[in-house]
mmCIF file of all heavy atoms in Angstrom:
data_model
loop_
_atom_site.group_PDB
_atom_site.id
_atom_site.type_symbol
_atom_site.label_atom_id
_atom_site.label_comp_id
_atom_site.label_asym_id
_atom_site.label_seq_id
_atom_site.Cartn_x
_atom_site.Cartn_y
_atom_site.Cartn_z
ATOM 1 N N GLY A 12 -6.096 16.477 2.723
ATOM 2 C CA GLY A 12 -5.752 15.117 3.198
ATOM 3 C C GLY A 12 -6.414 14.091 2.274
ATOM 4 O O GLY A 12 -7.150 14.332 1.375
ATOM 5 N N VAL A 31 -2.904 -16.987 7.780
ATOM 6 C CA VAL A 31 -3.025 -17.114 6.322
ATOM 7 C C VAL A 31 -3.005 -18.604 5.902
ATOM 8 O O VAL A 31 -3.740 -19.019 5.028
ATOM 9 C CB VAL A 31 -1.766 -16.418 5.731
ATOM 10 C CG1 VAL A 31 -1.771 -16.641 4.217
ATOM 11 C CG2 VAL A 31 -1.835 -14.890 6.006
ATOM 12 N N ARG A 37 -8.308 -17.883 12.268
ATOM 13 C CA ARG A 37 -8.325 -17.445 10.847
ATOM 14 C C ARG A 37 -9.181 -16.187 10.771
ATOM 15 O O ARG A 37 -9.963 -15.901 11.642
ATOM 16 C CB ARG A 37 -8.886 -18.498 9.902
ATOM 17 C CG ARG A 37 -10.348 -18.836 10.158
ATOM 18 C CD ARG A 37 -10.822 -19.999 9.339
ATOM 19 N NE ARG A 37 -12.209 -20.220 9.510
ATOM 20 C CZ ARG A 37 -12.813 -20.848 10.512
ATOM 21 N NH1 ARG A 37 -12.053 -21.337 11.493
ATOM 22 N NH2 ARG A 37 -14.087 -20.994 10.511
ATOM 23 N N PRO A 41 -12.307 -10.141 4.942
ATOM 24 C CA PRO A 41 -11.201 -9.179 4.882
ATOM 25 C C PRO A 41 -11.098 -8.272 6.020
ATOM 26 O O PRO A 41 -12.036 -8.044 6.757
ATOM 27 C CB PRO A 41 -11.503 -8.413 3.570
ATOM 28 C CG PRO A 41 -12.988 -8.440 3.499
ATOM 29 C CD PRO A 41 -13.395 -9.791 4.037
ATOM 30 N N ILE A 46 -8.159 4.838 7.160
ATOM 31 C CA ILE A 46 -7.061 5.726 7.566
ATOM 32 C C ILE A 46 -7.176 7.093 6.812
ATOM 33 O O ILE A 46 -7.705 7.177 5.763
ATOM 34 C CB ILE A 46 -5.683 5.103 7.314
ATOM 35 C CG1 ILE A 46 -5.515 4.727 5.854
ATOM 36 C CG2 ILE A 46 -5.429 3.905 8.181
ATOM 37 C CD1 ILE A 46 -4.140 4.266 5.502
ATOM 38 N N VAL A 48 -4.604 10.265 5.669
ATOM 39 C CA VAL A 48 -3.226 10.637 5.436
ATOM 40 C C VAL A 48 -3.239 12.134 5.181
ATOM 41 O O VAL A 48 -3.911 12.652 4.270
ATOM 42 C CB VAL A 48 -2.658 9.898 4.228
ATOM 43 C CG1 VAL A 48 -1.221 10.233 4.035
ATOM 44 C CG2 VAL A 48 -2.788 8.377 4.431
ATOM 45 N N GLU A 85 -1.607 5.541 14.316
ATOM 46 C CA GLU A 85 -1.203 6.965 14.402
ATOM 47 C C GLU A 85 0.304 7.043 14.347
ATOM 48 O O GLU A 85 0.997 6.538 15.178
ATOM 49 C CB GLU A 85 -1.693 7.637 15.741
ATOM 50 C CG GLU A 85 -1.337 9.090 15.716
ATOM 51 C CD GLU A 85 -2.182 9.903 16.617
ATOM 52 O OE1 GLU A 85 -3.066 9.402 17.330
ATOM 53 O OE2 GLU A 85 -2.011 11.161 16.627
ATOM 54 N N ASP A 97 19.495 4.999 12.916
ATOM 55 C CA ASP A 97 18.355 4.108 12.603
ATOM 56 C C ASP A 97 17.349 4.007 13.735
ATOM 57 O O ASP A 97 16.203 3.511 13.554
ATOM 58 C CB ASP A 97 18.833 2.731 12.256
ATOM 59 C CG ASP A 97 19.528 2.624 10.884
ATOM 60 O OD1 ASP A 97 19.269 3.545 10.110
ATOM 61 O OD2 ASP A 97 20.258 1.682 10.693
ATOM 62 N N THR A 105 10.469 7.044 9.242
ATOM 63 C CA THR A 105 11.033 7.818 8.168
ATOM 64 C C THR A 105 10.658 7.162 6.802
ATOM 65 O O THR A 105 10.255 6.015 6.799
ATOM 66 C CB THR A 105 12.548 7.891 8.287
ATOM 67 O OG1 THR A 105 13.079 6.561 8.255
ATOM 68 C CG2 THR A 105 13.011 8.635 9.537
ATOM 69 N N LEU A 113 2.937 2.018 3.292
ATOM 70 C CA LEU A 113 2.303 1.843 4.581
ATOM 71 C C LEU A 113 2.028 0.365 4.950
ATOM 72 O O LEU A 113 1.776 0.114 6.082
ATOM 73 C CB LEU A 113 0.928 2.549 4.538
ATOM 74 C CG LEU A 113 0.960 4.045 4.510
ATOM 75 C CD1 LEU A 113 -0.466 4.595 4.403
ATOM 76 C CD2 LEU A 113 1.658 4.609 5.703
ATOM 77 N N PHE A 125 -2.886 -7.203 18.450
ATOM 78 C CA PHE A 125 -3.573 -8.483 18.296
ATOM 79 C C PHE A 125 -3.746 -9.082 19.687
ATOM 80 O O PHE A 125 -2.794 -9.201 20.435
ATOM 81 C CB PHE A 125 -2.790 -9.370 17.376
ATOM 82 C CG PHE A 125 -3.543 -10.501 16.804
ATOM 83 C CD1 PHE A 125 -4.516 -10.326 15.804
ATOM 84 C CD2 PHE A 125 -3.361 -11.805 17.308
ATOM 85 C CE1 PHE A 125 -5.225 -11.331 15.289
ATOM 86 C CE2 PHE A 125 -4.118 -12.844 16.743
ATOM 87 C CZ PHE A 125 -5.024 -12.569 15.752
ATOM 88 N N PHE A 129 -8.537 -15.120 23.098
ATOM 89 C CA PHE A 129 -9.847 -14.699 22.665
ATOM 90 C C PHE A 129 -10.877 -15.330 23.641
ATOM 91 O O PHE A 129 -10.669 -16.479 24.093
ATOM 92 C CB PHE A 129 -10.111 -15.115 21.278
ATOM 93 C CG PHE A 129 -9.308 -14.389 20.286
ATOM 94 C CD1 PHE A 129 -8.073 -14.940 19.890
ATOM 95 C CD2 PHE A 129 -9.731 -13.239 19.691
ATOM 96 C CE1 PHE A 129 -7.292 -14.305 18.912
ATOM 97 C CE2 PHE A 129 -8.902 -12.597 18.771
ATOM 98 C CZ PHE A 129 -7.736 -13.080 18.384
ATOM 99 N N LYS A 136 -17.196 -18.669 31.850
ATOM 100 C CA LYS A 136 -16.753 -19.443 33.007
ATOM 101 C C LYS A 136 -15.762 -20.559 32.728
ATOM 102 O O LYS A 136 -15.122 -21.093 33.603
ATOM 103 C CB LYS A 136 -18.015 -19.964 33.756
ATOM 104 C CG LYS A 136 -18.922 -18.895 34.245
ATOM 105 C CD LYS A 136 -20.162 -19.515 34.824
ATOM 106 C CE LYS A 136 -21.143 -18.394 35.334
ATOM 107 N NZ LYS A 136 -22.443 -18.938 35.653
ATOM 108 N N LEU A 138 -14.193 -24.250 31.430
ATOM 109 C CA LEU A 138 -14.403 -25.673 31.704
ATOM 110 C C LEU A 138 -13.973 -26.050 33.099
ATOM 111 O O LEU A 138 -12.954 -25.510 33.555
ATOM 112 C CB LEU A 138 -13.698 -26.527 30.661
ATOM 113 C CG LEU A 138 -13.995 -26.284 29.172
ATOM 114 C CD1 LEU A 138 -13.055 -27.167 28.360
ATOM 115 C CD2 LEU A 138 -15.435 -26.563 28.912
ATOM 116 N N LEU A 146 -18.939 -24.828 32.241
ATOM 117 C CA LEU A 146 -19.587 -24.125 33.345
ATOM 118 C C LEU A 146 -20.562 -23.062 32.908
ATOM 119 O O LEU A 146 -21.302 -22.544 33.708
ATOM 120 C CB LEU A 146 -18.519 -23.616 34.293
ATOM 121 C CG LEU A 146 -17.597 -24.641 34.850
ATOM 122 C CD1 LEU A 146 -16.491 -24.000 35.701
ATOM 123 C CD2 LEU A 146 -18.328 -25.675 35.727
ATOM 124 N N CYS A 151 -20.983 -27.784 37.694
ATOM 125 C CA CYS A 151 -20.045 -28.908 37.742
ATOM 126 C C CYS A 151 -20.571 -30.036 38.558
ATOM 127 O O CYS A 151 -21.232 -29.875 39.554
ATOM 128 C CB CYS A 151 -18.727 -28.330 38.445
ATOM 129 S SG CYS A 151 -17.469 -29.586 38.596
ATOM 130 N N SER A 152 -20.318 -31.238 38.099
ATOM 131 C CA SER A 152 -20.823 -32.443 38.752
ATOM 132 C C SER A 152 -19.765 -33.087 39.646
ATOM 133 O O SER A 152 -20.002 -34.163 40.194
ATOM 134 C CB SER A 152 -21.321 -33.498 37.696
ATOM 135 O OG SER A 152 -20.224 -33.860 36.924
ATOM 136 N N LYS A 157 -12.092 -29.890 45.381
ATOM 137 C CA LYS A 157 -11.220 -30.065 44.282
ATOM 138 C C LYS A 157 -9.812 -29.721 44.733
ATOM 139 O O LYS A 157 -9.525 -28.567 45.070
ATOM 140 C CB LYS A 157 -11.684 -29.170 43.110
ATOM 141 C CG LYS A 157 -13.008 -29.479 42.581
ATOM 142 C CD LYS A 157 -13.477 -28.494 41.615
ATOM 143 C CE LYS A 157 -14.941 -28.765 41.229
ATOM 144 N NZ LYS A 157 -15.594 -27.636 40.614
ATOM 145 N N PRO A 160 -3.339 -33.208 44.218
ATOM 146 C CA PRO A 160 -2.515 -33.900 45.236
ATOM 147 C C PRO A 160 -1.029 -33.450 45.178
ATOM 148 O O PRO A 160 -0.356 -33.694 46.166
ATOM 149 C CB PRO A 160 -2.668 -35.357 44.821
ATOM 150 C CG PRO A 160 -3.204 -35.402 43.468
ATOM 151 C CD PRO A 160 -3.931 -34.106 43.259
ATOM 152 N N PHE A 170 -0.708 -21.283 59.209
ATOM 153 C CA PHE A 170 -0.411 -19.822 59.268
ATOM 154 C C PHE A 170 -1.114 -19.220 60.462
ATOM 155 O O PHE A 170 -2.298 -19.540 60.667
ATOM 156 C CB PHE A 170 -0.804 -19.189 57.990
ATOM 157 C CG PHE A 170 0.009 -19.664 56.810
ATOM 158 C CD1 PHE A 170 -0.503 -20.615 55.969
ATOM 159 C CD2 PHE A 170 1.254 -19.167 56.571
ATOM 160 C CE1 PHE A 170 0.211 -21.067 54.875
ATOM 161 C CE2 PHE A 170 1.971 -19.598 55.489
ATOM 162 C CZ PHE A 170 1.514 -20.547 54.649
#
Side-chain angles (χ1 to χ4, degrees):
V31 176
R37 65 187 185 280
I46 59 174
V48 182
E85 183 158 3
D97 288 340
T105 59
L113 291 177
F125 197 74
F129 294 91
K136 296 175 184 172
L138 303 175
L146 301 175
C151 179
S152 61
K157 298 173 187 164
F170 295 98

